[in-house]
Amino acid sequence: MAELKGLRDYLESSYNDSVFDTITDSQVPWSFHLYGQRVVTGMLLENRQYEVQLKQEEKEEEIPKIEIKLAYPHDLAERILPLIKKKDKKTAKKNLGPIIEVKNRHFIKNKTLYPLMMEKEVVFFTLLEGEVIRGIITGFSRFDITMGLKGGVPLTFLRHSIVDARNKKGRCLLKSTQQTSRDWKKSALFSD
């Protein structure tokens, strides 16, 4: 049977993890980028099924997870903000917001993510409001992808916020293209 060596074990150990559990357990302030270019910072008090409870200085706010694009530890904000400043102008002009219906989202297959992560390939992700995130995938789950940006700085974004994903050669990594391209078969991890 054809498969990617190690993918099944990785998915068994990490696929159902949620970055929101990690953030809640950390008990340190995180910054969250929401649609509409809103950034909120605080400590997560609770991770619920569809929303999170965030404590910001003197108030608490319930935020639907579908509204969150990306997150990072607040103490890294000065290093991260310059690295996510670049925007894809065409995407930004579309004024895209969260895609509620799952079937309309821009998927990237686990079969594609895993070899990219293991082979430490640089990937460019474009989010729905145009943010371009460049780095190396350090982990992923059913819900989110964590990247090491320049200098290894960690940033996590939600899989539902992706509009495009490309490698350094400009090759599209989304499911719509990879259904026929099957680039994971070119990985040294692939065996048939």
Side-chain angles (χ1 to χ4, degrees):
M1 178 171 71
E3 64 179 310
L4 285 163
K5 185 174 135 191
L7 174 60
R8 186 174 301 150
D9 292 338
Y10 181 80
L11 294 177
E12 282 179 20
S13 68
S14 303
Y15 193 61
N16 288 313
D17 293 349
S18 168
V19 70
F20 296 117
D21 287 333
T22 303
I23 295 169
T24 303
D25 292 345
S26 76
Q27 289 300 294
V28 297
W30 279 61
S31 292
F32 301 88
H33 289 231
L34 311 178
Y35 288 97
Q37 305 301 320
R38 182 173 169 227
V39 179
V40 294
T41 299
M43 289 179 37
L44 274 194
L45 300 176
E46 193 175 349
N47 175 24
R48 299 183 191 131
Q49 186 170 1
Y50 298 110
E51 63 275 326
V52 294
Q53 189 72 25
L54 181 72
K55 182 176 184 354
Q56 307 168 60
E57 294 183 11
E58 301 300 317
K59 69 175 185 170
E60 289 185 19
E61 181 178 359
E62 186 175 276
I63 302 172
K65 291 179 182 177
I66 193 72
E67 291 291 326
I68 301 172
K69 295 183 294 184
L70 58 91
Y72 49 86
H74 181 66
D75 64 347
L76 297 176
E78 286 183 21
R79 292 176 63 194
I80 287 176
L81 290 173
L83 300 175
I84 60 172
K85 198 164 78 171
K86 183 180 177 191
K87 293 251 187 179
D88 178 70
K89 291 177 181 152
K90 286 182 182 178
T91 302
K93 283 183 184 179
K94 292 178 183 178
N95 293 318
L96 300 172
I99 300 172
I100 306 300
E101 290 190 37
V102 175
K103 67 179 183 175
N104 294 328
R105 294 181 185 163
H106 305 273
F107 288 103
I108 184 165
K109 290 173 136 307
N110 297 327
K111 287 181 189 178
T112 300
L113 288 171
Y114 184 72
L116 292 167
M117 176 180 73
M118 297 307 290
E119 295 166 358
K120 298 182 180 356
E121 187 171 339
V122 173
V123 182
F124 296 82
F125 285 96
T126 304
L127 304 187
L128 287 164
E129 288 189 311
E131 298 92 339
V132 177
I133 299 170
R134 175 185 186 258
I136 295 171
I137 299 166
T138 58
F140 66 91
S141 75
R142 175 180 177 190
F143 311 104
D144 48 69
I145 298 171
T146 300
M147 303 275 287
L149 306 182
K150 185 176 180 182
V153 181
L155 170 98
T156 301
F157 59 92
L158 286 294
R159 286 175 80 154
H160 62 70
S161 66
I162 297 170
V163 73
D164 194 21
R166 298 192 177 261
N167 67 11
K168 283 171 81 170
K169 295 178 182 176
R171 181 117 166 132
C172 183
L173 302 169
L174 295 178
K175 178 181 175 182
S176 55
T177 299
Q178 290 299 312
Q179 288 289 80
T180 54
S181 301
R182 302 175 189 266
D183 285 342
W184 64 83
K185 287 186 170 185
K186 299 172 188 165
S187 167
L189 299 170
F190 184 76
S191 63
D192 50 6

